[in-house]
Structures are given as structure tokens and as C-alpha cells.
Amino acid sequence: MDKKFFMLEKCLLFNGIKTEDIEASLHYLGFSIKNYKKDEIILLAGNKMARLGIILAGQVDIDKEDALGNRSIVTQIWPGEIFAEAIVCAAEASPVTVVAATDAKVIFLSIQMLLTGDEEVPAFCARLVSNLLKILSYKNIELNRKIEYLSLRTIREKILAYLLAQHKSTGKNPFTIPFDRNQLAAYLCVDRSAMSRELGRMRDEKIVKFKKNLFTLNKKILLE
Amino acid sequence: MDKKFFMLEKCLLFNGIKTEDIEASLHYLGFSIKNYKKDEIILLAGNKMARLGIILAGQVDIDKEDALGNRSIVTQIWPGEIFAEAIVCAAEASPVTVVAATDAKVIFLSIQMLLTGDEEVPAFCARLVSNLLKILSYKNIELNRKIEYLSLRTIREKILAYLLAQHKSTGKNPFTIPFDRNQLAAYLCVDRSAMSRELGRMRDEKIVKFKKNLFTLNKKILLE
DNA sequence: AAGAAGTTGTTGCATTTGCAACGGAGGATA
DNA sequence: TATCCTCCGTTGCAAATGCAACAACTTCTT
């Protein structure tokens, strides 16, 4: 198997598929690979797309921009994760913009033949489809989590909800977050300076300590 | 075919499946039916679920409640629409609470056998799975739309974004919305009185006219 | 070393928002 | 009719927020 495909074995889409079948399915799905420079746009909001993408290397942001130009980060994705699967399955225009947050390598796959269910298809396809179902379900739940943050009324609540979730998912207490301040504000959809002010207050009240991307939540907060 | 299943023919999950196969698949999926009174809880946030639900009659709200008890409506669903599909596929706890907004009738289906892809399954299953993929994709896009409203910074922007989308999806200009004021505020995650104040200002500025649930957007706004 | 560019925190200020409380309109019921 | 209840709008006020501008600090480039 080609070296550059090794990481696909860890990709949820190919979970349960034999190593030798992975490359076969790539060819079956008419793959192509493309490189992007940092900040290059991979998919612009409003466009349709016929193929889903899998990040092979680098980091990619899923963004949304409002009429006033406020950029908000919907989510980040990493090597092994896929994007555009929903708009391919639904044949709709993308509600989001996909941007390379660093230099990135992406592989694209046509999955039309998996969607109709009436053609004669190779054996591994059933597994691909059920993996796709699972991925879409996880993303659904992820979007619900995002909505949870955004539906909170104050910046402090949003920050706390995010930090608690981050603490929980890492299982550590001094823990790092994958955002710098600008990005965190964009993710929580609040003003950066207002967020910074609130973070300062929370530090004064000893709710949280932080230095760059390393955060420590007060133990009393964690007891709830 | 049993009369009470007629409406399932219009359900996206059974799209493309022959009428005689629908009842067969219901039995294959071990269906059961349950009635709910208005305000009764169908699924509580934090719980897991092994079966997805389809609304046969009535109206159902997908809710979320924050630590302070603020209720927000994530979305509404109507007869023919399904819920809990994501948490069944992902085998995760529900991030939302499902509540009967009116008296409602729900049919539950076990879909485990559709997910593994290795068992011997009836012919219609492939179609069920690809329909499920499409539904999950649509919901994904719907959640993105919701995030779009919530990421806007001011109440006015949220109201406008919602009304424009509602106008677009109905294709009419005096158009009705499916929420009363309380529900709309809960959907947009803002304070009801603050929303009411903003609606009043927007009426003063002749941006929108409204009477109960009937809204009319100013033509100048629609030209963008 | 110098300068440029990016990141983070700070502050003043106008505006927006949440909150609480109240009142009126309209519907349902006894 | 009287009463209760729900829905909707209104208002005063304190607090939160967005915005703009600036300063301190780091990183990178030249």
C-alpha cells in the first residue's frame, strides 16, 4: 500500500475495512489528491460539491461569515477527518466555507455509487456506507454541542461550557485548547476584547488560570 | 396496508420503497407505537436510545435547557419526520430533550440490523440506509442554518436572518411562522421582551409588518 | 539589530441586552 | 358576567457587550 495512504487506516470512514481493500476502494471511488497553501479556500460557502474530502495532512477550518464580515469558526478538522459529506449526500449548496488553516493535503472521493443502493457494488461498500452513517451522526452531535455553547446567554457561560467540555474530552486538568484567542472568540461567536475582559475577570475570581493555550480550571468548578 | 401507516409513504425514510414493502419493513424493524399527551417528555437529554422515532401525528419540539433553566428550542418536527436517528447510529447519549408540543403519536423502529452491513438483510434495507444518509445530511445542513442564526451578534440580525429564511422557504411574502413569540425567542436564544422591543423598532422603521404569526417583509429588504 | 506583523490584554464609551414587573387584549370556562 | 389564563407589548434599570483604539509582548523576517 502506498505510504501516503497509511493514515487512512485510522480514518473512521475506513474503519473495519481490510488494509488491502482500502486502496481498492480508493480507486473504486475515483480518488484524487490536492495540496493547499495556508489560508487557501478549499470550498466556498454557496457552492455545491460532488465529492467528499478527507484531510491527509495539515489542519482545516470550517468557517462561516456573516453579512458584516464577522468570521466565525464552526469547527476545526484534522488529518483522518472528512468534510463535505453532508452536502454531497444531500446534493445541497454548502452552508460553510472550508479553509486550509495550515498547508494541507486533501484526498477527494466520489461516493455517488454508494448512495443509490440499487447498483451492483463491491463488498466493502456496505461497510463504507455504515461508517458514513456513523460519521454523519457524530457530526450531528458535535453540531448540537456547538449550539449548546451558542445558546448560552453570556460570554462567561460560553467560555465555561467550552472549557469544561475541553477538560472532559482531554481528561486532563491543565489542558490545552486548539485555538488562540482570536480563534476562540470566532468559535464562540463573541467579540475578542469582550472575551479577553471576561477571561481576566474569571482569573481574578480564581475560576480559571491560563497562559497562552494552557488552561487550568479551579477544582471547585469541576466538582459540579 | 393499515390506514394509520398511510402517512409513512410520504416519509423520507421510506422514499422509493414500494407501498407493500413499507409494512414489511416496519415488522422487520420491530415497530411499536406510543401516544403522548401535550408537554409529555418523549426523550430526556442525557439518555441513550436504541430506536429511532417517526412522528405519525402531532407536533414535537427538540429542546435544550441550560444550567439556569433557560429553555431553547433547537428545532420543531412534524408528522413524517424522524428523531433520535443520530444518537442511535452513534450510540451516544442524547444532547437534546424531545417533547410533545401537542398530543402526538410516535412509531419507534429498531435499526441496528441496518448499521453493521454484514448480516443478510432484505432488499429494501439498502434503500432505507441511503434514505437515512440523506436525512442525516439534511439535518446536518439544518443545524448549520441554526448555527448561522445564533452566530449573529444582535437580536435584530437574528430576527432578520430567520424571517428571510422563512420567507425564502415558503416562497410567499406575507408568510406565517410556526412559532409564537415565546417559542421564537426560545428558538433564537434571546430574551422574549428584548426580542419584542426589537420587533417593535423594526416595525417603526418599516422593515417588517406583523400581526400574530403573519409577517410581511418590506420589499426593499428582499432585494438584497 | 531593526523593523514588521501577529497576539494578547486594557480601557472608554455608546449601545444592546437580560431581567423583572406590569398592563391590556383575547379566549376559555364556570 | 366574572374569573382565570395565556399571549404580547412596554418600560426602567443594571449589567453585559461590541467596537475602536492603543500598548505590551512575542515571533518572524530581513
Side-chain angles (χ1 to χ4, degrees):
Chain A
M1 186 177 184
D2 194 321
K3 254 191 261 176
K4 68 186 161 201
F5 298 141
F6 271 172
M7 65 85 52
L8 288 178
E9 296 186 32
K10 283 178 276 178
C11 171
L12 239 92
L13 184 59
F14 295 103
N15 185 25
I17 294 181
K18 277 176 280 176
T19 307
E20 59 266 31
D21 278 348
I22 293 181
E23 198 157 358
S25 52
L26 290 183
H27 285 97
Y28 179 71
L29 300 173
F31 79 97
S32 72
I33 293 179
K34 196 166 169 199
N35 291 301
Y36 294 90
K37 291 273 169 214
K38 175 167 158 48
D39 293 331
E40 202 174 339
I41 289 179
I42 301 173
L43 166 63
L44 192 63
N47 289 0
K48 295 200 174 185
M49 193 138 176
R51 308 198 292 169
L52 65 76
I54 308 176
I55 316 296
L56 291 176
Q59 187 196 330
V60 168
D61 285 353
I62 310 290
D63 290 351
K64 196 177 270 298
E65 204 160 303
D66 68 20
L68 299 169
N70 287 312
R71 170 176 174 246
S72 74
I73 300 176
V74 177
T75 188
Q76 290 178 315
I77 55 178
W78 308 86
E81 293 191 76
I82 73 178
F83 66 90
E85 70 289 342
I87 59 166
V88 171
C89 293
E92 294 265 335
S94 174
V96 294
T97 294
V98 181
V99 184
T102 64
D103 287 2
K105 186 193 287 287
V106 177
I107 182 170
F108 293 95
L109 305 175
S110 299
I111 55 168
Q112 261 72 22
M113 52 281 264
L114 303 180
L115 301 181
T116 56
D118 43 32
E119 257 177 83
E120 210 43 51
V121 291
F124 48 70
C125 283
R127 186 60 193 239
L128 280 175
V129 171
S130 70
N131 284 343
L132 206 48
L133 262 183
K134 218 170 239 177
I135 291 171
L136 270 166
S137 299
Y138 279 125
K139 295 220 174 176
N140 233 292
I141 292 170
E142 182 69 27
L143 288 174
N144 266 295
R145 184 162 317 140
K146 171 89 194 225
I147 288 177
E148 200 166 320
Y149 303 146
L150 295 190
S151 56
L152 296 173
R153 299 296 205 271
T154 66
I155 292 181
R156 173 172 298 206
E157 285 175 309
K158 291 179 190 183
I159 294 173
L160 257 183
Y162 174 75
L163 290 179
L164 279 168
Q166 204 61 23
H167 158 67
K168 234 181 178 175
S169 86
T170 61
K172 303 178 177 174
N173 191 6
F175 56 91
T176 59
I177 66 172
F179 293 124
D180 65 27
R181 298 290 184 276
N182 260 311
Q183 292 173 316
L184 181 59
Y187 181 73
L188 299 178
C189 299
V190 297
D191 181 72
R192 184 195 59 82
S193 73
M195 184 187 80
S196 188
R197 175 168 43 200
E198 196 60 39
L199 271 172
R201 284 188 198 135
M202 290 168 74
R203 173 160 53 191
D204 295 345
E205 298 174 32
K206 304 204 187 305
I207 294 172
V208 66
K209 285 188 290 189
F210 53 88
K211 191 178 177 183
K212 291 263 180 192
N213 293 4
L214 187 71
F215 284 74
T216 314
L217 281 167
N218 187 314
K219 284 169 194 162
K220 287 175 193 165
I221 302 293
L222 299 179
L223 292 182
E224 295 160 16
Chain B
M1 186 178 182
D2 195 320
K3 252 192 266 177
K4 67 183 161 203
F5 297 141
F6 272 173
M7 64 88 50
L8 288 179
E9 296 188 30
K10 282 177 280 179
C11 173
L12 238 89
L13 183 60
F14 295 104
N15 186 25
I17 294 180
K18 277 175 280 178
T19 306
E20 58 265 31
D21 279 348
I22 293 181
E23 198 156 357
S25 52
L26 290 182
H27 285 98
Y28 178 71
L29 300 173
F31 80 97
S32 74
I33 294 179
K34 197 166 170 201
N35 292 300
Y36 294 90
K37 291 270 168 217
K38 176 169 156 50
D39 293 329
E40 201 174 340
I41 288 180
I42 300 173
L43 166 62
L44 193 61
N47 289 0
K48 295 198 176 187
M49 194 138 176
R51 307 197 293 168
L52 66 76
I54 309 177
I55 315 297
L56 291 174
Q59 186 196 331
V60 168
D61 285 353
I62 311 289
D63 289 352
K64 194 175 274 296
E65 202 160 303
D66 68 23
L68 299 169
N70 287 314
R71 171 176 173 244
S72 73
I73 301 176
V74 177
T75 188
Q76 290 178 315
I77 54 178
W78 307 87
E81 294 191 75
I82 73 179
F83 64 90
E85 71 290 340
I87 59 166
V88 171
C89 293
E92 294 265 334
S94 174
V96 295
T97 295
V98 181
V99 184
T102 64
D103 288 2
K105 184 193 288 286
V106 177
I107 181 170
F108 292 96
L109 304 176
S110 299
I111 55 168
Q112 263 71 22
M113 49 283 262
L114 302 181
L115 301 182
T116 55
D118 44 33
E119 255 178 85
E120 210 44 50
V121 292
F124 47 69
C125 283
R127 186 60 194 237
L128 280 175
V129 171
S130 69
N131 284 343
L132 207 46
L133 262 183
K134 218 170 237 178
I135 291 171
L136 271 166
S137 300
Y138 280 125
K139 295 220 174 177
N140 232 291
I141 293 170
E142 183 69 27
L143 288 174
N144 267 295
R145 185 163 314 141
K146 172 87 195 227
I147 288 177
E148 199 166 321
Y149 303 147
L150 296 189
S151 56
L152 296 173
R153 298 296 205 273
T154 65
I155 293 182
R156 173 173 299 208
E157 286 174 308
K158 291 179 192 184
I159 294 173
L160 258 183
Y162 174 74
L163 291 180
L164 279 168
Q166 205 61 24
H167 157 66
K168 236 181 177 175
S169 86
T170 60
K172 301 177 179 175
N173 190 8
F175 56 92
T176 58
I177 65 172
F179 294 123
D180 64 28
R181 297 292 185 277
N182 260 312
Q183 293 172 315
L184 181 58
Y187 180 73
L188 299 178
C189 299
V190 297
D191 180 73
R192 184 194 59 80
S193 73
M195 184 186 79
S196 188
R197 175 169 41 200
E198 196 59 39
L199 271 173
R201 283 185 198 139
M202 289 167 75
R203 172 159 53 193
D204 295 346
E205 299 174 31
K206 305 205 186 305
I207 295 172
V208 65
K209 285 188 288 189
F210 52 89
K211 192 178 176 182
K212 289 263 183 192
N213 293 4
L214 186 70
F215 285 74
T216 313
L217 281 168
N218 186 315
K219 283 169 196 164
K220 287 176 196 166
I221 302 293
L222 298 179
L223 292 182
E224 297 160 15

